[in-house]
Amino acid sequence: MAKAQSASFGRPDEVRSFDHGRLEVVSLGEETVGRQVFDPGWRWAVHVKPLAGTPSCEFHHLGYVVSGRLRAEMDDGSILEIGPEDVFEIPSGHDAWVLGEGPCVIIQWSGIRTWGTPFLATGERILT
């Protein structure tokens, strides 16, 4: 039986910092939720690709934009722009970057457990 529980981004279980941003992770049993803060100028291909070691982001994302704007370009060339109060789904195989002069803050509950962590030579992810 599931139990009632809560977690706080004020006391995250883990913080993954990277150039121009950070990911704060909280866990609720088997579930993981993340708050991503991307500063102006952040771009996945520049600031996360070297950590991930993949040609494009290979994570499926399901989330909610708290503030700011983000543009995602899929490997097939299609574009999605998201902003405040948008709920979104972005499949694997994309690049993304912040639009405008303010940070983009996103809450995600899919694709967060190992986002921004490097692949081992075997193709398995490692947690940092």
Side-chain angles (χ1 to χ4, degrees):
M1 173 180 272
K3 64 179 181 174
Q5 55 186 320
S6 69
S8 172
F9 286 118
R11 296 179 312 282
D13 298 322
E14 180 183 1
V15 176
R16 297 180 202 150
S17 296
F18 45 87
D19 192 21
H20 283 75
R22 70 184 181 281
L23 167 63
E24 300 159 346
V25 179
V26 296
S27 297
L28 298 166
E30 297 295 318
E31 302 298 326
T32 303
V33 180
R35 176 170 61 186
Q36 295 171 299
V37 179
F38 302 118
D39 295 331
W42 176 85
R43 184 170 187 155
W44 186 91
V46 174
H47 300 106
V48 180
K49 182 178 179 175
L51 298 171
T54 58
S56 58
C57 182
E58 297 302 320
F59 283 92
H60 171 262
H61 302 284
L62 184 62
Y64 171 78
V65 181
V66 176
S67 63
R69 297 198 62 75
L70 190 79
R71 180 177 183 143
E73 182 174 347
M74 303 303 301
D75 290 348
D76 69 5
S78 60
I79 302 285
L80 175 69
E81 286 190 18
I82 54 177
E85 300 191 16
D86 287 344
V87 176
F88 64 88
E89 179 177 19
I90 302 173
S92 64
H94 62 273
D95 186 11
W97 57 93
V98 172
L99 298 172
E101 300 301 317
C104 184
V105 179
I106 292 174
I107 304 296
Q108 280 197 69
W109 50 90
S110 173
I112 285 298
R113 189 174 300 272
T114 57
W115 186 90
T117 61
F119 273 110
L120 294 172
T122 62
E124 296 177 12
R125 293 205 172 272
I126 58 171
L127 294 176
T128 56

